[in-house]
Amino acid sequence: MSDPFDGTERSLGQLVASATAEMSALVHDEIALAKAEIRQDVKRGGIGAILGIGALVVLLFSLPMLSFALAYAINTWTGGHNGNGGWNLLWCFLLSFAANVLFAGLLGAVAVAKFKKVKPPKKSIASAKETAAIMQNVKPHPRPEPAGADLVALDKGESVARSSA
C-alpha cells in the first residue's frame, strides 16, 4: 500500500478499491481465525467426550461389584459375620437389587423433570419469522435506464448468444 502522506493524491476509485481489498482480506482472516478456533474446540470436545464415555463404561462395569458389596454388607449388618446366621444371602442380594432399582427410578424421575423444562428458543424463532416476513416484502432497487436509451430491449422470449472468444 502506498504511503498516504507522500504528496500524491489517490483518486476516489483507488481509495474505494484499496478499502474494499483491505476489508476483504480482513474478513477472510477473521473467517480463518474462527475456523481455527472452532476446529481446536471441536478437537478438545471430542477428546473430552471419548474420555467421559470411557469413564462411564468403567463405572457401568463396576456396578455389579457395588451390588455384591451391598449384599454382603446387609448380611454382615444383620449378624451373618459372627456365625449367628444373619439374613439369607438371597434376601440380601434382592434387597441390594431393589435399592439399585429405587435409585435408578429416582434418577430417571429427576431426568424427566429436567427434560420437561426444556423449551424451544421462542425469541430466536420469533426473530427468524420476523426476518423471513420482512425479506418476503423486500423489492429490489430500481435500476436507472442505461445512457443509450436507443438500445433495443429484448423480448422475454429472445435470448442472447454468448461468444466463446
Side-chain angles (χ1 to χ4, degrees):
M1 190 170 112
S2 65
D3 184 16
F5 302 109
D6 65 356
T8 61
E9 293 186 19
R10 294 190 292 173
S11 69
L12 181 62
Q14 290 172 332
L15 291 173
V16 169
S18 175
T20 303
E22 289 177 12
M23 283 298 292
S24 177
L26 178 64
V27 168
H28 285 290
D29 289 345
E30 289 292 329
I31 290 172
L33 177 63
K35 283 182 181 179
E37 287 177 344
I38 289 172
R39 194 175 301 122
Q40 186 178 20
D41 288 343
V42 167
K43 184 178 178 182
R44 285 181 188 155
I47 291 171
I50 289 171
L51 293 176
I53 290 171
L56 287 175
V57 167
V58 169
L59 182 63
L60 180 67
F61 286 141
S62 69
L63 285 178
M65 290 186 281
L66 176 65
S67 295
F68 273 89
L70 182 60
Y72 281 110
I74 293 170
N75 181 268
T76 301
W77 181 63
T78 58
H81 66 286
N82 57 10
N84 292 339
W87 290 359
N88 188 341
L89 277 177
L90 171 71
W91 296 112
C92 295
F93 277 102
L94 285 176
L95 188 58
S96 171
F97 172 75
N100 287 336
V101 168
L102 187 67
F103 184 65
L106 178 67
L107 289 177
V110 170
V112 167
K114 292 291 182 184
F115 280 130
K116 285 185 178 180
K117 290 182 179 180
V118 174
K119 304 287 186 211
K122 294 178 182 177
K123 290 181 182 179
S124 297
I125 292 172
S127 174
K129 286 181 180 179
E130 181 180 326
T131 302
I134 290 172
M135 294 304 287
Q136 287 177 349
N137 297 327
V138 171
K139 295 185 173 135
H141 293 288
R143 296 182 182 228
E145 290 293 324
D150 57 340
L151 295 175
V152 178
L154 296 175
D155 291 336
K156 289 183 181 178
E158 293 182 26
S159 63
V160 175
R162 296 190 128 176
S163 66
S164 59

